[in-house]
């Protein structure tokens, strides 16, 4: 560290502040385990999904219903595969949106 160090009084004040903050176990655990990893990636994904407009979910729902009706009448494996992919992505995005909302991640 460049420059003059902290005085004795400043060190005592800093120690008191650290001890006071260490009482908050949740904050202490969060500060000790700060890292870039899967949690960071999951948080990034939740923020992105929370920003998706509701129109996207409406379009996915409509597309899913359309593909379901087509697959029932046409008995086509391609239509059934398309329905399953759109439906699975709708469920995944909807679940992520609900989790983001519950955690207070604002759009």
């Amino acid at each position: 560290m460049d420059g003059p160090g902290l005085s004795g009084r400043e060190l005592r004040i800093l120690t008191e502040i650290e001890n006071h903050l260490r009482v908050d176990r949740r904050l202490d655990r969060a500060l000790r385990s700060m890292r870039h990893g899967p949690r960071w990636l999951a948080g990034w994904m939740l923020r992105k999904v929370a920003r998706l407009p509701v129109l996207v979910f409406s379009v996915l729902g409509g597309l899913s219903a359309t593909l379901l009706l087509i697959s029932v009448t046409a008995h086509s494996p391609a239509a059934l595969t398309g329905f399953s992919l759109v439906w699975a992505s709708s469920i995944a995005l909807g679940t992520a949106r609900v989790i983001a909302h519950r955690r207070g991640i604002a759009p």
Side-chain angles (χ1 to χ4, degrees):
M1 182 169 125
D2 294 338
L6 297 175
S7 68
R9 180 176 178 269
E10 291 170 335
L11 286 172
R12 283 192 302 275
I13 292 172
L14 181 61
T15 303
E16 288 177 21
I17 291 171
E18 288 175 346
N19 289 337
H20 181 69
L21 289 176
R22 206 170 296 278
V23 172
D24 187 359
R25 292 177 191 250
R26 188 174 179 187
L27 175 65
D28 189 42
R29 185 179 324 124
L31 291 175
R32 280 187 285 121
S33 64
M34 287 177 74
R35 61 186 168 91
H36 293 290
R39 276 212 213 141
W40 175 78
L41 181 62
W44 178 81
M45 289 296 290
L46 285 176
R47 284 189 296 279
K48 293 296 183 188
V49 170
R51 289 189 181 109
L52 282 176
V54 176
L55 179 64
V56 171
F57 295 101
S58 301
V59 169
L60 284 174
L63 186 61
S64 179
T66 304
L67 286 171
L68 177 64
L69 291 174
I70 290 172
S71 67
V72 166
T73 58
H75 301 291
S76 169
L80 186 59
T81 303
F83 162 72
S84 62
L85 291 175
V86 171
W87 183 78
S89 64
S90 301
I91 295 298
L93 287 175
T95 303
R97 178 88 179 228
V98 168
I99 290 171
H101 178 71
R102 289 185 55 106
R103 290 187 180 178
I105 299 174

